[in-house]
Each structure stands twice: as structure tokens, then as C-alpha cells.
Amino acid sequence: MFNRLKKAFSKFVESVVSTVKEDTLSEKDVNEVISNLYFDLIENDVAVEVADAVTEELKKRLIGVKVPRFGDKEAVVKKAVLEALIGVLSDVPDVDFYQDSKNRLETSRPVTVMFLGPNGYGKTTTLAKLAYHLQERGFRVVAAAADTFRAGAREQLEEHGRRVGFRVIGGSYGADPASVAYDAVQHARSKGFHYVLIDTAGRMHTDANLMEELRKIQRVVEPQYSIFVFDAQLGNEALEIARYYSKYVKIDGMIAAKVDAYPKGGSILTFLYTLKRPVYFLGVGQSYKDLVQFTKQEYVSQLLT
Amino acid sequence: MKALTELFSKLVDKIRGVEYIDEATLQEIAREIQRTLLKADVPLDLVKTFTDNAVKRIREEKPPAGIPPREYLIYVLYEELVKLMGGEQPAEFKPTKKPYIVLLLGVEGSGKTTTSAKLARYLMKRGYKVGMVETDTIRPAAFDQLKQLAEKIGAPFYGERDGKDAVEIARRGVTNLKGVDVLIIDTAGRHRNEEALLQEVKAIYDAVNPDEVVLVVDATVGKLAAAQAEAFMKYLPIHTVIITKMDSTARGGGALAAVAKTGARVKFIGVGEDVEELEPFNPRKFVARLLGMGDLDALLEKI
Ligand SMILES: Nc1nc2c(ncn2[C@@H]2O[C@H](COP(=O)(O)OP(=O)(O)OP(=O)(O)O)[C@@H](O)[C@H]2O)c(=O)[nH]1
Ligand SMILES: Nc1nc2c(ncn2[C@@H]2O[C@H](COP(=O)(O)OP(=O)(O)OP(=O)(O)O)[C@@H](O)[C@H]2O)c(=O)[nH]1
Ligand SMILES: [Mg+2]
Ligand SMILES: [Mg+2]
């Protein structure tokens, strides 16, 4: 996964190793090689301003690092870059969604999970995948069809429900999405379901009215988890989306979909760095099993293996 | 679109602000052009060639009498951008026989099904009788989605709710909707790594022999558009591209540039979810809008 981004970092490590002259990394050493990394990050779809910020921070963290004159220079540099990168993302928590939400179930049942994000990125499919995995773990799940707008949205969720075996509440076209979601939560509460998964209509971050509507759903149902679903193939648009979405709504965690479409992986860095929220899962295909857990720790160490 | 336009107008303002264009200013402007294009998701190699070309022209060409060098620089930028976006001529969508069969394809969620309905609506408004076929047997309720859209715009529709064989559905769709002027065939989403699905769309192509193959590209995923287009082109020809979701902050520049490189023509852009929200694409107008239209008109007239 993300082979090209990986290559960018190994190239960077190599060039640091070959430029370092003294036994600590000097500002000059780092400056000499960081601009290549900068362009490589952009080439791999990290948003330009995030690439700016990340290389700047990396630089700061790398200057002054001690490198032995003899012995395994590469291992030392690699470790330094790894630590620097982890440092850059230090305020992003890693959250195991299954464990975290299970803990919550002890005090509040149902746990409410809302899916949101721009058009066509994979919300509905990801919801169905999560329902599948939660049910595999023995939980009872109900879904709210709060996309009452897009043609075929309700039928799509219902068909997923039939295949995976979860019930779908509400969702006649044109209905108020907030009340659909609210009804589903009431239903789940009275019937003892563990999780309510709320599907919402895709919306462009530039549409203020639709963003307000999303905010209203959050106000009415107060979901424990609002999960932002993004297409892993995004480039610079990721930054704009992150900025606008976080202005309007609360985002607790994220899921990157379509990672199997061979994205370069830069969008994940952009979102982690900008939103400072955990990415819970990656979507890696169109079937229900294709949802894998994600940690930033693993992502970063993968980039530097 | 808005942010992209802001980005480019900032660049234009910057150029207008310089007194003389000496080598140092030119380098500085070149760097600024580079950054702007990178932010617009234009692939790095294209950015480099673009900037080199523009700088070379500024160095070598003399502005016509009465045009200040900085205005001429903006003009060069305009011209090169138009080239980058696919050239002067807007490409028209013109059915040339009956029925004119159009096949839509693209990656998952790029907007094919919505665009099928938009294109149908666009043609119906121009007097064509348009039919639509849904061959997506993979995404749950793809059938319902296009059927509902067809009903909304009043177009004849063919699909099979629990169909399994996309190729057969396509074939039967063509037979069933024989009387229309244009037949739009929607397909399931697929990407460059899904070999079996790519084979399937090739088989649909062979079975219905479409007159025009349209690749639907999501503007927000920018740069990857080129790789996607190239992957599809290994299996079947792509004549036309429609870029969707340009109502985002639209870094569509990247998608446009990438597509122009493949030789396919961009004919429409999608600017919203509604079936009416499809616009014919005109590279000249698009770039003029990017650089701040009003001013540019006057400048173009002078040159
Ligand atoms: N290859 C691949 N396709 C995916 C993945 N996740 C979703 N998709 C596909 O992407 C397309 C769009 O997915 P949806 O779940 O309908 O997206 P959405 O965000 O709900 O879309 P709207 O509700 O219209 O905004 C479908 O064809 C899905 O099968 C993934 O991880 N990999
Ligand atoms: N904002 C905006 N949304 C669009 C545009 N075009 C399509 N969409 C939305 O994008 C989402 C995906 O569109 P679809 O038409 O279902 O995409 P698709 O390519 O058919 O998806 P699959 O069949 O799953 O591969 C839907 O929510 C559409 O309403 C556009 O130009 N602007
Ligand atoms: Mg959906
Ligand atoms: Mg579709």
C-alpha cells in the first residue's frame, strides 16, 4: 500500500544519509534534501499547504539529530525521520473504533454513529461494511435512511440491509433527515439495539445550506460518533473539504474509502494533519469484508520500512 | 470553482503589481505560477513543462505595440492555460446517426448515473428522443437510481432489477429501446485495479458497439484522472470526458489538464446534483473565468 509515498521517504532517508557531513544533522544538510521530499509529497497528493507545513516541521525535528560517523547511519536516520513524522502527527489520537464504542455501550445504549461527507465518496457502502463487522461481533444494528434526497438512496441502503441483515428505518424521499435519524434512535432505544448507523446525503462543502442541514442533524441526534468518509484518491481538494467541513460539523473520526483504487496515499496525510482526528478504517474494496482497521502509527511506520 | 478562481486572480494581481519584468521577477512569477498550478492539482510534469514554456515565451517574444509587458505576460498565461485545458475549440456533442449509442464509464462514485440523466435531459431539451439503460449489477439499487431519474425527466428506461449479466442487459436494452435518437448506457463503477470489471466493460463495448464512449471523472480527485483514463484506454477507446462535481472548490484544473493529455475531449462539466446542472465545456471561457473574465476580454481584443 502507498508504495510511491514509501519510496519518497526512503529516497529522503538515503539523501539525508549521503549529505550528512558532521555527526549531527545541520540545518544546511536538511535544507539541501528537504525540497525533493516536498515535491514528492505533492506528487503523491499531499495538499500543497500541508506539504509546506509537514516539511517545515520535519526540518525542525531533524536538525540537531545525532548521526554516528561510523556504523549504521541509515538506521539512525530512518529512526529519526520516523520519530519526526510521528511527532508531526503527535496530536492525532489512534482510536480502535470497536473497543472504544464497546466501552461506550456500557453506559449508553444505543451508540449512534453518523456518516457524513461529500458526494459519492462511499458513505452508504462504508456504513453497510461497518454494520456487517459489528454484527459479526455479535451486536444488533439498525440503520437510518437519512439520505432522503438522492435518487435510489433509500433502496440502496435497504438492499444492503437485506444482504447484511440489518433493518432500515424511515427515509421517504423529501422527509426531514434530522427527524428520520431521531426516529431511528428512538426505535433502537426501545428495541434494545446496540448501534444506530445514520446514512446522510452526500453534500459539497461549498453548499452552505446543505452544510447547515448536516449541522442540524448533529444537533438533534447528538451522535457519539460522526464519521467523515473521504475518497482516498483526493488531492488538494482534501484540504478545502477538511477546512469547510470542520467549520460546520463535529468530526470524531474518519474512514478513507477506495484505497484499493491505488491512491497514492497523500490524502490520508492531509486529513490527519488538518483535522487531527483518527482514521478508524480504510475501505479496500466493494464487498462487506473490505474494511480494515487503521492506525496512524502503522501508516507512518509502513512509510518508513 | 471559487477557490481556484481566487488562486488565479491572485496570481494575475501579483503580475499586474510588478513594475519591470527583469530576470528575478520572472523567476519569482514562474515560482508563483508553479505553486498555483500545483494547488490546482495539475500533475508535476505538466506544471514544469507549462512553466518552462511560458517563461521561454516571455523571454523571447516582444509584446505588440501599446501592450505593457506585464499585460502580455497575462496573455501568454491565458494562451498556455487554454492549451493545457485542451485547446481553443469547444467540443460539441452531436449525435450523427440513429440510434446514437453512448456508453458511460468511470470509477466508483464519479457521477456516471447522475450524469446519464443530465446528458439525457440536455439532449431532450434540444429535441432528441433519449433512452437510458442501466447495466450496473453490482451497486445495490443502481437500477432504482437510474429508473427514478428517468421517470423524473420522462425518458424511456431499460434495466433488470435482479439482473446478473451486464453484457446481456446492455444488448437487450438496445433492442428494447430501438426507436430513440440517442441511447445512453450507464455502467457500474470500476477502477484500474479491478481487472474482471474492466473486461466486463470491454465486453459491453464489443456487444453494443457504441458511437461515443464517455469517461466520467470526478473533479475533486484531480490528478488521478490521467491514470484512470489511461487504464481504461487499454481496454477500449475513450472519445469524450465529462468532469463532475465542479461545484466543489474544484481543483478541476488537474483533471482537465490530465485529460487533455490523453487526447480525449472534455465536453461537459457537472456543477451540481440536479439533472439540470450540466454545462457544455469551453476551454477558452473556462480559462477566462479562472483569470478574471471582464479584464481579459479587453486585453484579448487588443492583441
Ligand atoms: N473499489 C471501491 N469502491 C468503493 C469503496 N467504497 C465505496 N465504493 C463504491 O463507491 C461508489 C459510491 O459509494 P456510495 O457508498 O454510494 O457513496 P456515498 O458517499 O454514499 O454516495 P452519495 O450518497 O451519493 O453521496 C459505489 O459504487 C461503491 O461500491 C471502496 O472501498 N472500494
Ligand atoms: N455536487 C455534485 N454532485 C454530483 C455531481 N454529479 C454527481 N454528483 C453526486 O455524486 C454522487 C455519486 O453520483 P452517481 O451518479 O451515483 O455516481 P456513479 O458514478 O454512478 O457511482 P457508481 O455507480 O457507484 O460507480 C451522487 O451523490 C450524485 O448526486 C456534480 O456535478 N456535483
Ligand atoms: Mg449514500
Ligand atoms: Mg452509478
Side-chain angles (χ1 to χ4, degrees):
Chain A
M1 233 180 257
F2 314 131
N3 277 324
R4 303 185 29 162
L5 200 52
K6 222 185 267 180
K7 217 173 276 162
F9 278 102
S10 59
K11 216 172 81 191
F12 178 64
V13 168
E14 255 169 55
S15 55
V16 174
V17 170
S18 63
T19 40
V20 57
K21 295 188 190 64
E22 306 296 326
D23 46 7
T24 54
L25 284 174
S26 70
E27 182 158 3
K28 192 161 158 289
D29 292 333
V30 181
N31 274 341
E32 241 170 71
V33 294
I34 202 110
S35 78
N36 281 332
L37 178 67
Y38 172 72
F39 281 112
D40 280 341
L41 290 179
I42 290 174
E43 178 85 337
N44 283 291
D45 286 343
V46 177
V48 173
E49 279 149 292
V50 174
D52 279 335
V54 167
T55 45
E56 209 42 52
E57 271 197 54
L58 270 180
K59 209 159 86 183
K60 273 195 218 129
R61 287 170 194 273
L62 286 175
I63 292 169
V65 164
K66 289 209 177 348
V67 180
R69 209 169 284 208
F70 307 101
D72 197 349
K73 265 192 196 177
E74 196 189 316
V76 175
V77 171
K78 193 180 261 178
K79 187 158 166 280
V81 176
L82 177 73
E83 277 165 9
L85 198 54
I86 288 175
V88 167
L89 297 175
S90 63
D91 41 7
V92 182
D94 267 332
V95 173
D96 176 339
F97 178 84
Y98 295 129
Q99 194 53 50
D100 197 66
S101 61
K102 199 172 147 203
N103 293 346
R104 285 202 183 211
L105 269 176
E106 313 206 331
T107 51
S108 99
R109 182 163 164 181
V111 163
T112 315
V113 186
M114 172 174 166
F115 291 78
L116 50 92
N119 305 87
Y121 286 3
K123 294 172 291 300
T124 308
T125 311
T126 304
L127 181 157
K129 288 175 182 174
L130 186 62
Y132 170 87
H133 285 275
L134 288 171
Q135 291 191 347
E136 288 281 288
R137 286 173 159 70
F139 297 109
R140 294 175 58 226
V141 177
V142 66
D147 179 354
T148 57
F149 178 73
R150 207 208 63 228
R154 173 186 175 171
E155 288 81 0
Q156 182 187 9
L157 189 60
E158 278 172 348
E159 182 57 33
H160 278 304
R162 265 190 293 281
R163 292 182 194 179
V164 175
F166 58 82
R167 232 196 111 183
V168 175
I169 306 284
S172 41
Y173 289 103
D176 172 28
S179 34
V180 171
Y182 184 81
D183 289 347
V185 176
Q186 294 308 328
H187 176 88
R189 188 163 290 138
S190 67
K191 296 280 194 286
F193 282 92
H194 297 96
Y195 288 88
V196 188
L197 308 184
I198 302 169
D199 189 25
T200 65
R203 64 203 75 215
M204 238 4 125
H205 51 294
T206 47
D207 189 324
N209 290 335
L210 290 181
M211 293 305 292
E212 275 303 332
E213 181 189 90
L214 209 50
R215 204 213 299 260
K216 180 179 164 198
I217 307 175
Q218 282 194 336
R219 209 168 44 232
V220 172
V221 295
E222 297 180 336
Q224 277 100 335
Y225 297 92
S226 291
I227 302 184
F228 173 75
V229 178
F230 66 92
D231 188 325
Q233 301 166 98
L234 285 165
N236 279 285
E237 191 71 6
L239 185 61
E240 299 296 334
I241 293 172
R243 278 180 182 153
Y244 280 84
Y245 261 83
S246 57
K247 208 170 77 185
Y248 284 97
V249 290
K250 179 173 81 85
I251 292 171
D252 300 295
M254 303 184 268
I255 297 179
K258 307 184 200 172
V259 173
D260 55 313
Y262 268 146
K264 294 171 186 165
S267 60
I268 296 177
L269 190 57
T270 299
F271 280 116
L272 284 174
Y273 185 80
T274 317
L275 291 179
K276 319 271 182 225
R277 288 285 175 271
V279 169
Y280 301 133
F281 300 99
L282 303 181
V284 295
Q286 299 199 63
S287 68
Y288 298 117
K289 290 202 172 66
D290 294 329
L291 187 73
V292 298
Q293 282 192 282
F294 175 95
T295 64
K296 101 184 165 198
Q297 196 75 25
E298 242 174 82
Y299 171 70
V300 170
S301 31
Q302 212 191 68
L303 292 181
L304 282 153
T305 43
Chain B
M1 263 308 291
K2 192 161 153 282
L4 191 63
T5 311
E6 267 166 22
L7 219 58
F8 277 94
S9 346
K10 239 189 246 157
L11 177 62
V12 168
D13 286 347
K14 190 155 196 165
I15 295 173
R16 291 226 159 105
V18 304
E19 287 288 329
Y20 298 104
I21 301 185
D22 53 16
E23 192 53 34
T25 338
L26 194 57
Q27 288 306 330
E28 154 106 37
I29 289 172
R31 237 191 337 270
E32 203 58 36
I33 295 176
Q34 235 177 40
R35 247 181 105 71
T36 307
L37 291 174
L38 284 176
K39 282 192 185 173
D41 266 337
V42 178
L44 193 58
D45 54 335
L46 291 183
V47 171
K48 284 188 171 147
T49 346
F50 179 95
T51 316
D52 290 350
N53 269 348
V55 169
K56 188 158 166 276
R57 284 190 58 184
I58 296 298
R59 272 208 199 99
E60 290 173 0
E61 292 173 17
K62 276 253 162 302
I67 306 288
R70 50 171 190 254
E71 289 298 309
Y72 191 66
L73 202 161
I74 292 168
Y75 171 75
V76 169
L77 195 61
Y78 163 81
E79 272 204 337
E80 291 294 320
L81 275 174
V82 171
K83 248 191 258 166
L84 186 72
M85 302 298 163
E88 280 286 327
Q89 287 307 315
E92 266 187 276
F93 193 93
K94 254 210 129 30
T96 48
K97 66 183 251 286
K98 184 181 169 176
Y100 190 76
I101 300 181
V102 182
L103 183 68
L104 265 69
L105 51 86
V107 302
E108 290 91 345
S110 58
K112 296 170 294 299
T113 306
T114 312
T115 304
S116 299
K118 288 179 178 181
L119 183 60
R121 174 88 183 124
Y122 177 88
L123 292 167
M124 285 161 73
K125 282 210 286 204
R126 280 155 188 78
Y128 294 99
K129 186 162 185 230
V130 185
M132 294 200 283
V133 182
E134 182 54 75
T135 65
D136 184 349
T137 60
I138 292 160
R139 169 171 166 161
F143 168 91
D144 295 280
Q145 187 184 1
L146 191 62
K147 185 164 183 286
Q148 286 170 19
L149 289 166
E151 276 161 13
K152 182 170 176 186
I153 63 173
F157 168 81
Y158 184 84
E160 297 172 17
R161 191 183 290 278
D162 296 309
K164 292 276 176 298
D165 186 338
V167 183
E168 284 309 314
I169 300 174
R171 219 179 251 138
R172 284 193 284 270
V174 174
T175 325
N176 268 272
L177 299 175
K178 242 193 231 113
V180 300
D181 299 317
V182 181
L183 191 68
I184 298 175
I185 302 178
D186 183 29
T187 61
R190 64 202 79 219
H191 62 69
R192 54 182 159 163
N193 207 19
E194 292 170 320
E195 167 73 22
L197 288 178
L198 290 165
Q199 294 292 355
E200 182 196 76
V201 79
K202 162 103 172 70
I204 296 176
Y205 174 83
D206 289 337
V208 302
N209 193 20
D211 300 289
E212 189 159 340
V213 179
V214 177
L215 177 69
V216 178
V217 171
D218 177 341
T220 62
V221 305
K223 277 185 287 195
L224 276 175
Q228 301 288 7
E230 276 157 20
F232 282 115
M233 279 174 164
K234 288 199 191 113
Y235 294 82
L236 68 177
I238 289 169
H239 308 109
T240 300
V241 172
I242 298 181
I243 307 213
T244 62
K245 309 186 196 173
M246 286 294 272
D247 51 320
S248 58
T249 347
R251 309 306 188 151
L256 283 163
V259 161
K261 212 173 82 171
T262 66
R265 298 299 303 269
V266 178
K267 292 195 179 170
F268 295 98
I269 56 175
V271 293
E273 292 189 68
D274 194 83
V275 288
E276 303 289 344
E277 290 175 306
L278 183 74
E279 294 176 0
F281 177 68
N282 178 333
R284 237 165 46 77
K285 279 202 186 129
F286 180 78
V287 173
R289 205 157 74 185
L290 274 188
L291 297 178
M293 183 85 177
D295 292 7
L296 207 63
D297 267 350
L299 175 64
L300 291 177
E301 245 163 57
K302 272 191 258 167
I303 294 181

